Amino acid sequence: MIRLETPRLLLRDITLTDAPGILALDSNPDVLRYVPNRPISTLAEAEIIIRYIRQQYERNGIGRWAVVRQDTQEFIGWCGLKLVNDSEVNGRTNYYDIGYRLLPPHWGQGFASEAARATLHYGLNVLQLPEINATVMLDNAASRRVLEKLGLQLQEEFTEPDGSLWGWYGLENYAPT
């Protein structure tokens, strides 16, 4: 299990025991407001999501991680890198996407930035990825602020088939290899 620690958080592999947390995330309309996923309603659906994430660990060596508060050991969401190689976004595939999703009681406390900063550091300095990207719905001001604080820059805007406007963000790795 890959583990990253920050002052307040632990990032670890998602396991089937996280199914209630995944269900809480992916059934909440506020959480899904700016993502294209359809809501789920059962633990079985959450387990399917977890199995998909765990396949990414095996196939790509990376994937989304559970975000756990160190003080309470509470699952509060996920954050991590995903190799997007099984779909196309904005005409692209085979890129590393940084993403995060937290439960609403943990919004506005800097947890997303803290988890994403540790993840970005891992991707650039440990994995030495040449570039990390992110996509975000342009209306999602909070998520855009997180990406911009991390140093990712808006490279272009694009429209999804449903008509929603999105931003393509990127950060190149200038560290020596």
Side-chain angles (χ1 to χ4, degrees):
M1 293 177 82
I2 296 172
R3 293 179 179 259
L4 297 178
E5 288 190 47
T6 72
R8 300 181 297 163
L9 303 171
L10 174 66
L11 283 71
R12 60 159 173 78
D13 286 3
I14 291 176
T15 67
L16 287 174
T17 61
D18 296 314
I22 296 295
L23 176 59
L25 275 173
D26 286 3
S27 64
N28 187 314
D30 291 332
V31 173
L32 298 179
R33 179 176 178 194
Y34 297 113
V35 295
N37 304 53
R38 66 169 187 77
I40 64 172
S41 58
T42 68
L43 283 174
E45 289 172 299
E47 290 172 358
I48 290 168
I49 292 167
I50 292 168
R51 284 187 183 94
Y52 173 74
I53 292 168
R54 294 196 60 80
Q55 286 175 351
Q56 292 174 351
Y57 298 160
E58 293 170 18
R59 188 173 53 240
N60 304 319
I62 196 74
R64 308 299 195 199
W65 294 316
V67 177
V68 177
R69 286 182 62 147
Q70 289 208 42
D71 59 351
T72 64
Q73 296 303 300
E74 176 183 9
F75 175 97
I76 66 169
W78 58 254
C79 181
L81 294 166
K82 174 183 177 182
L83 175 60
V84 178
N85 62 359
D86 58 359
S87 62
E88 188 175 288
V89 178
N90 191 27
R92 295 174 169 93
T93 192
N94 292 315
Y95 66 91
Y96 288 91
D97 173 81
I98 188 167
Y100 36 83
R101 191 175 298 169
L102 300 180
L103 291 164
H106 307 282
W107 292 355
Q109 299 173 56
F111 290 126
S113 294
E114 189 173 323
R117 186 172 292 108
T119 299
L120 184 69
H121 181 270
Y122 183 84
L124 295 175
N125 297 307
V126 176
L127 298 178
Q128 297 188 341
L129 300 175
E131 183 175 13
I132 294 177
N133 297 101
T135 58
V136 62
M137 192 177 284
L138 291 180
D139 289 342
N140 190 344
S143 188
R144 292 179 69 182
R145 274 193 303 276
V146 169
L147 293 174
E148 290 163 4
K149 278 196 273 186
L150 295 175
L152 278 84
Q153 296 182 355
L154 179 63
Q155 295 177 340
E156 66 182 277
E157 297 177 2
F158 64 99
T159 304
E160 281 291 292
D162 67 0
S164 58
L165 298 175
W166 288 74
W168 177 269
Y169 282 78
L171 178 66
E172 289 186 39
N173 189 353
Y174 295 108
T177 54

